[in-house]
Amino acid sequence: WGPQWLSYLWYLSDGRIRRKSLTWTHILHLGIFKRLLECMGLPDEDVYGEIMQQADVSALRLFEALVVTLPQTLLQTYVLICTDIGIKSPASVCFVVCLLSLAWALVLYARACSLIRPGHLQMTPAAILCRLLWRVSMLGSRFAVLMLFTRIFKQWILGVIG
């Protein structure tokens, strides 16, 4: 609910008229998709507005990934490492999808931050792919190390978390 509530508050602070459809859009968790559709429907001459809409959408997507996907990814990593269920289990597929989702949100946010700066350069698809691979490998290794530490030193994990 957090990202949807934040998106709804942004619509209200932008001076948008409060409508039932806007409220129901956010209750049904479609607020971020509504922002994406509005971003695609902007005229080509409003470049600054489009860049700011993309930055808003990427910030909301990053917030959603950190609130929803990160805990799920940590739990799935713990299940994969501590229970020895195997690599062909559905939990491993969910782990990979969540890891890609989290990495993609970080890449899009970094792209939006670079677009906001004056004199920005467009990122090529190869640069986006390299950043995605970097983020996936960085997050995957950190999750694995954290869960291996949890498996070996069970009583010490509370000190690490605290």
Side-chain angles (χ1 to χ4, degrees):
W1 286 97
Q4 298 300 322
W5 180 250
L6 189 60
S7 174
Y8 184 74
L9 290 177
W10 271 351
Y11 271 118
L12 291 179
S13 70
D14 287 344
R16 307 277 176 120
I17 300 171
R18 188 173 182 172
R19 300 182 310 231
K20 286 185 178 182
S21 64
L22 185 63
T23 305
W24 278 105
T25 301
H26 286 85
I27 288 174
L28 295 173
H29 290 266
L30 298 173
I32 295 175
F33 296 112
K34 180 172 175 33
R35 285 188 175 273
L36 283 171
L37 287 174
E38 285 181 357
C39 186
M40 287 189 276
L42 286 175
D44 289 337
E45 58 268 0
D46 189 16
V47 175
Y48 182 74
E50 183 179 352
I51 289 173
M52 292 311 293
Q53 276 283 30
Q54 287 180 5
D56 289 348
V57 169
S58 65
L60 283 171
R61 177 67 188 105
L62 179 65
F63 182 62
E64 182 182 35
L66 292 177
V67 169
V68 176
T69 310
L70 181 63
Q72 183 178 1
T73 309
L74 286 173
L75 179 65
Q76 288 166 349
T77 309
Y78 181 79
V79 167
L80 283 174
I81 289 179
C82 294
T83 60
D84 297 325
I85 60 173
I87 198 83
K88 293 184 179 181
S89 68
S92 62
V93 174
C94 291
F95 167 72
V96 169
V97 169
C98 286
L99 187 64
L100 282 172
S101 173
L102 193 58
W104 185 248
L106 287 168
V107 168
L108 285 183
Y109 184 71
R111 179 184 169 270
C113 287
S114 69
L115 285 177
I116 290 174
R117 285 187 232 127
H120 66 275
L121 297 173
Q122 290 286 351
M123 288 180 67
T124 63
I128 291 175
L129 182 64
C130 287
R131 275 196 173 189
L132 181 66
L133 291 175
W134 173 259
R135 294 292 181 185
V136 165
S137 61
M138 180 193 67
L139 290 172
S141 64
R142 288 182 182 183
F143 291 156
V145 166
L146 183 63
M147 292 308 126
L148 286 172
F149 182 83
T150 303
R151 184 176 183 176
I152 295 171
F153 301 107
K154 292 179 183 172
Q155 65 272 19
W156 290 97
I157 193 63
L158 294 176
V160 172
I161 292 174

